[in-house]
Amino acid sequence: MQVGDLPRRATSPGAGATDGDAAVGQAPAGAEVGSRYWSAWLGDAWRRLLRDGFIRPAPITRAHLLTGLKAAVVPYLVSRGLVWAATIFGARNLVAPTGLYSNLYPPPALSPFFRWDADAYGYIAHHGYGLGTGGVAAEVIRVAWFPFYPLLIHLTGGSDWAMIIIPNVCFFAALALLHVVGARRLDADRAQLAVWLCALGPAAMFFSYPYTESTFLLLTVGAFVLMESGHWLLAGVGGFAAAMTRAPGVLLAAALGAEGVLGRRRAAIVAVILPVAGLLTVSLIQWAQMGDPLGYIHARSIWIGPPRNPLYLVGSFPKAFIEGDPFNSEAIGVPILLIFAAGAVWVALRMPASYGVFAIAQILLAAQQGLYLHIFSLVPRTISVIFPCYFAFATFLAPRRSLQLAWLLISASILVVNAIMYGGWRFIG
């Protein structure tokens, strides 16, 4: 349907218009044309969604996976080299604030990487959610963190080395699968750029720390790889594990639901149950061990900051810039959120509905969390795992070589600064 067809149909002899109508009723006719235009546009959009808004499964071969692994090697080594060196530099050159140390007492080679949440995950791996000796305050441990990563630590021996090896192996595998999906949805060049953008992201240092980001990234990208190849129930299993790793993993149920409805796939609709079951399993574990099935929800109240002027949302970055303070971890929270939100909109418009639903919902959760806690320093870490957004960034930057280089340099610089601060026990999210 052409836009120009609408006015002609509205004023054609067969439309029932008279000369008097044309002379007196031009405004209503214009309103009617506008109404018809938007109705037609929405109808076309809905038909396109029903026709093109879902994944058309195709086999993912061993060759695809090997190509992804090869594509991940250099971005992984370069980015991890920066992260490891910067973290160690921060640990050796920044004086830790009084009273901050790891209760896990890792070996000297690993100690720069064991900060903040790492203690909690190690504690849960050894004690579960029950009370044990030492560690982070019990009331925080029992309500804050999800059990899948601690379970992996426990199953691989429970050592400090296991805690650091698991996230690094997961991140390398996640980058490989990110390339596989990118090559299918975009092309090889943009897929490679997406891998670099993810590896050098401003909060990508968390992918190498004893945190859940890399495990969650692997499980969510892996779930979409399985959807791309038509393994709906296995994708649901990935969603089950992702929901036990971090609460946003349950959003894979929405992605599977979109595929089930638009693609009329019964297996995908059945698989919706699995991510929901993962979150329910977390509730059951926490209920059994600490008597609170909604501990992961109640946990957020522990970190609510004092009331703040809402203008801090727009003022934190200019304030840090004017004061020349590159170590203000909150300053980049809102700008990065806006960049990822724009990427999520692109995903919703250009990729299958499952990708768009997954990206948009995570953006909304991150924004809600920042507003609820009155702090946006957590946002870069929270949204670093929204992998479809990297496809949007790669598509935008691919034809703009100079901007592409500037983007990567700025992002890598923020990454290095954040890693230095983390190593020096500065809270960055």
Side-chain angles (χ1 to χ4, degrees), residues 58-68 180 184 225 229:
I60 291 178
T61 65
R62 182 180 300 179
H64 293 138
L65 296 175
L66 288 175
T67 300
V180 170
R184 170 161 293 188
V225 168
S229 55

Side-chain angles (χ1 to χ4, degrees), residues 121-134:
Y121 288 120
Y123 188 91
I124 295 169
H126 291 99
H127 301 289
Y129 287 98
L131 296 177
T133 58

